[in-house]
Amino acid sequence: MSTLQDTAKPARKSGEWKAIVILILLIPVLWSPPFLVRFCLYQPFSIPSSSMVPTLLIGDDVFAAKYSYGYSRYSFPGWLPAFSGRIFGSEPLRGDVIVFRLPSDTKVDYVKRVVGLPNDRIQIKEGQLFINDKPVTRQRLKDGVEEYACGIEPGTKAKRWWETLPNGASYEILDCIENGFYDNTSVYTVPPGHVFVLGDNRDNSTDSRVLKTVGYVPMENIVGKVTRIYFSVGDEDLRTERIWMKVK
């Protein structure tokens, strides 16, 4: 035992000195403009799926504003000390598009739209969103051809709707399948400290309706609010019309 203690003491001192040296070396990096922007202001993300079509397309690169709702342990690199809750925290608004850590696997980032706040009752009836027992206003738009987003036969058209939430936030959603699997749900009551999220591509989105995978998203899991598309490529072609497009 004395041998183990003797060998442990120098190792601990060596580790302490290494930590001090690393911290000193990191000070210029921590206060450098690129680090401050990346870890405190805006974080870039790439969109890999069609769950947020038509708002976000596969190949869109977006910025998430990390300061919008304050900071949690998921706002910073994993090697920094972990903490609970949010610093300078504020609640998202209905209609905000957010990046968050998946509750069932916090190493995975998801992007969805907030439709429900704490204590809200959320339900889908025949494809229409209800919040606190009231139907959300929606207006039918011209159908669009969305084979890649819907997984439907070429040339088949999908329904599009313009949805307006109670706070006035409005956006376009895609309705690929008539009477889809999640077009009729039970009532979801959002717990305190959580939000309820949906994908704009309602029939092809794993979101809060899938309780085992996503479910209710804790506030501290939110990384930031998606604000702009800064780059976009589709089928190897640059989509210049989408560059610096505001996300709403």
Side-chain angles (χ1 to χ4, degrees), residues 31-43:
W31 286 101
S32 66
F35 184 93
L36 289 174
V37 170
R38 170 65 172 74
F39 293 109
C40 296
L41 300 178
Y42 295 96
Q43 184 170 344

Side-chain angles (χ1 to χ4, degrees), residues 122-203:
I122 306 296
Q123 188 175 17
I124 309 292
K125 297 180 183 180
E126 298 181 356
Q128 186 169 12
L129 174 63
F130 282 68
I131 299 178
N132 297 324
D133 306 318
K134 295 181 180 180
V136 168
T137 302
R138 63 176 185 171
Q139 180 183 357
R140 183 75 177 270
L141 302 176
K142 184 179 179 180
D143 294 351
V145 179
E146 293 289 353
E147 297 100 333
Y148 88 94
C150 292
I152 54 182
E153 295 182 3
T156 304
K157 292 186 177 182
K159 292 180 182 178
R160 289 172 175 261
W161 300 88
W162 190 258
E163 190 170 79
T164 303
L165 297 177
N167 64 342
S170 57
Y171 45 87
E172 190 175 335
I173 63 170
L174 197 60
D175 184 6
C176 294
I177 305 170
E178 194 74 28
N179 295 317
F181 189 76
Y182 286 106
D183 277 353
N184 292 280
T185 72
S186 57
V187 177
Y188 302 91
T189 301
V190 186
H194 293 70
V195 294
F196 193 95
V197 297
L198 292 175
D200 290 349
N201 187 353
R202 293 289 164 82
D203 293 311

Side-chain angles (χ1 to χ4, degrees), residues 17-35:
W17 276 108
K18 285 181 181 178
I20 293 171
V21 170
I22 290 172
L23 182 60
I24 293 173
L25 292 175
L26 279 175
I27 287 175
V29 177
L30 293 173
W31 286 101
S32 66
F35 184 93

Side-chain angles (χ1 to χ4, degrees), residues 4-18:
L4 291 173
Q5 290 175 353
D6 289 341
T7 55
K9 287 180 181 178
R12 183 165 61 249
K13 289 181 179 179
S14 175
E16 290 172 357
W17 276 108
K18 285 181 181 178

